[in-house]
């Protein structure tokens, strides 16, 4: 959407990025609500001091590699997104503002990365790793599997509250510090609300016509605005308090097989909250033998192996969602209706994952190793269905 100077969220989003890039924590914190929530790549947190510190630390690690791309506004003028990059990594920060024009929530998402050189990919990988502090698998060892199979789960919320069959809990010394910071943030938010109630600030707004003449006036107390903002921030289905839990597991693999999961929404959120630094370490998910008709959004996870067999996926175009998995090497989809209804099922799916200008990372499909013959058949099917002219575009 084109820039609108009257859009406060647009302006605030740009301002937040500039303050983060300058690492001006003092000014950045002033733009945040005391109880602001930051849904980060690695974890979730609240409290304007903590959020400001983490955002400035991100910018410090990124250094000169952090580059602005664009800012997008929304129709409601209460949300806006700024997109920027660090080496090949592309990030989108979406902010929400309240009636006091302070930021109440920031959601950071990882977008499809730039196609860079081998050197830039290594720098991107090193940067992501530098964001991590805590338990890191050493010497190539994998952390234990987090197993939620055979738990009769139906949706993401049940995944979060269920007890796994096995898994290793994180024992971070920093948890005590995190709890203290969260308690401090709650105290600051309560103090801000109490101060507003005490002051009972009366705010006046005058409405004017095109000629500048006053045609109406409205008055209300600031405390009423704060209460309304709190209502706006309330999450549905009890998800609002989930991000405050400290129950996390150290793992690189999650099993959700043999359940009754039919709703794909927020599965990635549940896993991100349960698995420590999932955005970097969670590389293997088995969600086979469920009732999924749509593929969940795993774009924020660095998956290498994904098992989706024995579900109820009927639309082959669902596979396009997996294009965001830039490191995916092994995928299963057999036992879904698409296996019987899609002509040339195997090569049609593989061609959907194969994107122009990007390396084709797939090595296994439905547990079978891809051979040179498979690549030849993919190319033949592509030429037949799309046309040989695409060969000049570097897809094969």
């Amino acid at each position: 959407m084109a820039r609108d100077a009257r859009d406060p969220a647009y302006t605030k989003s740009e301002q937040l990025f500039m303050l983060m890039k300058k690492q001006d924590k003092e000014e950045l914190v002033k733009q945040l609500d005391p109880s602001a929530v930051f849904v980060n790549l690695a974890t979730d947190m609240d409290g304007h001091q903590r959020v400001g510190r983490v955002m400035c630390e991100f910018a410090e690690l990124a250094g000169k590699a952090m580059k602005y791309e664009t800012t997008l506004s929304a129709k409601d003028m209460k949300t806006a997104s700024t997109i920027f990059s660090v080496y090949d990594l592309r990030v989108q920060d979406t902010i929400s503002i309240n009636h006091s024009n302070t930021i109440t929530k920031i959601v950071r998402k990882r977008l499809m990365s730039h196609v860079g050189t081998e050197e830039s990919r290594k720098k991107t990988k090193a940067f992501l790793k530098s964001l991590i502090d805590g338990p890191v698998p050493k010497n190539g060892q994998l952390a234990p599997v987090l197993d939620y199979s055979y738990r009769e789960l139906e949706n993401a919320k049940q995944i979060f509250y269920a007890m796994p069959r096995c898994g290793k809990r994180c024992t971070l010394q920093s948890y005590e510090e995190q709890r203290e910071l969260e308690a401090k943030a709650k105290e600051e938010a309560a103090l801000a609300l109490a101060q507003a109630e005490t002051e009972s600030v009366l705010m006046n707004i005058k409405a004017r016509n095109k000629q500048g003449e006053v045609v109406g006036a409205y008055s209300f107390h600031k405390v009423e605005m704060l209460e309304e903002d709190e209502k706006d921030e309330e999450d549905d289905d009890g998800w609002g308090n989930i991000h405050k839990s400290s129950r996390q597991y150290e793992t690189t693999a999650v099993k959700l097989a043999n359940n009754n999961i039919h709703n794909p929404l927020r599965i990635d959120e549940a896993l991100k909250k349960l698995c420590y630094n999932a955005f970097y370490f969670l590389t293997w998910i088995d969600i086979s033998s469920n009732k999924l008709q749509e593929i969940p959004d795993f774009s924020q996870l660095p998956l290498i192996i994904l098992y989706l067999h024995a579900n109820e996926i009927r639309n082959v175009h669902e596979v396009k969602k997996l294009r965001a998995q830039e490191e995916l090497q092994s995928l299963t989809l057999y036992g879904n209706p698409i296996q019987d209804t899609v002509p040339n099922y195997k090569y049609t799916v593989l061609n959907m994952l194969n994107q122009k200008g990007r390396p084709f990372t797939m090595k296994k499909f439905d547990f079978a190793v891809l051979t040179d013959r498979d690549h030849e058949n993919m190319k033949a099917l592509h030429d037949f269905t799309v046309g040989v002219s695409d060969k000049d575009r570097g897809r094969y």
Side-chain angles (χ1 to χ4, degrees), residues 153-170:
L153 305 175
E154 296 182 0
N155 52 51
K157 187 178 177 183
Q158 291 181 5
I159 294 172
F160 184 85
Y161 287 113
M163 291 301 297
R165 299 169 67 87
C166 63
K168 181 181 178 182
R169 288 283 296 271
C170 280

Side-chain angles (χ1 to χ4, degrees), residues 90-366:
R90 296 181 68 237
V91 176
Q92 174 178 294
D93 278 359
T94 301
I95 69 164
S96 301
I97 63 173
N98 57 20
H99 296 290
S100 302
N101 202 26
T102 55
I103 299 172
T104 58
K105 188 173 185 179
I106 306 170
V107 178
R108 176 166 290 175
K109 289 185 65 177
R110 182 177 179 175
L111 304 179
M112 183 74 77
S113 65
H114 292 298
V115 180
T117 63
E118 184 65 28
E119 182 181 358
S120 64
R121 285 196 291 270
K122 288 181 180 179
K123 289 181 178 179
T124 303
K125 198 84 171 177
F127 170 70
L128 288 172
K129 196 167 185 178
S130 68
L131 296 176
I132 299 170
D133 55 352
V136 179
K138 298 179 180 179
N139 301 323
Q141 296 179 356
L142 298 179
V145 173
L146 183 60
D147 190 356
Y148 284 96
S149 57
Y150 297 97
R151 281 290 187 245
E152 299 183 357
L153 305 175
E154 296 182 0
N155 52 51
K157 187 178 177 183
Q158 291 181 5
I159 294 172
F160 184 85
Y161 287 113
M163 291 301 297
R165 299 169 67 87
C166 63
K168 181 181 178 182
R169 288 283 296 271
C170 280
T171 54
L172 296 176
Q173 293 181 352
S174 59
Y175 272 163
E176 291 297 328
E177 299 175 1
Q178 291 176 10
R179 301 289 79 77
E180 291 178 4
L181 288 171
E182 288 177 359
K184 185 177 179 181
K186 290 179 182 178
E187 291 177 2
E188 291 175 347
L191 181 62
L193 183 60
Q195 184 177 358
E197 291 176 346
T198 303
E199 295 175 354
S200 187
V201 179
L202 185 66
M203 302 190 70
N204 300 307
I205 295 180
K206 295 181 179 180
R208 300 176 183 270
N209 58 21
K210 292 182 179 180
Q211 288 73 37
E213 300 171 345
V214 177
V215 295
Y218 308 90
S219 298
F220 47 88
H221 290 278
K222 185 176 180 181
V223 65
E224 294 174 353
M225 294 170 58
L226 292 172
E227 290 173 351
E228 185 175 348
D229 291 334
E230 286 184 351
K231 292 178 182 178
D232 290 341
E233 292 299 314
E234 286 181 359
D235 207 345
D236 59 327
D237 300 327
W239 276 77
N241 296 321
I242 284 182
H243 76 277
K244 299 176 183 178
S245 173
S246 63
R247 181 167 64 94
Q248 285 190 314
Y249 296 86
E250 180 184 349
T251 187
T252 57
V254 175
K255 291 188 70 174
L256 293 166
N258 298 97
N259 284 292
N260 298 314
I261 300 173
H262 57 86
N263 187 351
L265 298 178
R266 287 185 161 180
I267 290 178
D268 60 321
E269 287 187 43
L271 295 179
K272 178 181 165 185
K273 298 174 195 301
L274 284 168
C275 306
Y276 185 81
N277 274 326
F279 90 104
Y280 191 84
F281 288 125
L282 187 53
T283 58
W284 186 94
I285 292 178
D286 180 359
I287 194 169
S288 61
S289 300
N290 279 281
K291 297 180 179 180
L292 289 171
Q293 295 185 17
E294 300 177 12
I295 295 178
D297 178 11
F298 293 132
S299 61
Q300 303 301 300
L301 304 175
L303 295 185
I304 295 176
I305 300 173
L306 177 60
Y307 296 156
L308 286 163
H309 56 271
N311 274 284
E312 299 177 4
I313 301 171
R314 292 178 170 81
N315 187 350
V316 70
H317 293 287
E318 283 291 309
V319 174
K320 293 179 181 179
K321 293 180 180 179
L322 300 179
R323 289 177 175 175
Q325 310 304 141
E326 300 174 8
E327 301 178 45
L328 190 64
Q329 297 181 15
S330 180
L331 172 69
T332 63
L333 281 168
Y334 70 87
N336 284 279
I338 59 172
Q339 184 180 20
D340 300 321
T341 59
V342 176
N344 299 301
Y345 150 75
K346 178 178 181 179
Y347 302 118
T348 298
V349 169
L350 292 175
N351 275 333
M352 283 186 167
L353 296 175
N354 191 12
Q355 299 182 74
K356 297 182 293 185
R358 292 186 177 275
F360 186 61
T361 58
M362 288 288 295
K363 296 180 179 179
K364 287 184 179 181
F365 182 70
D366 286 347

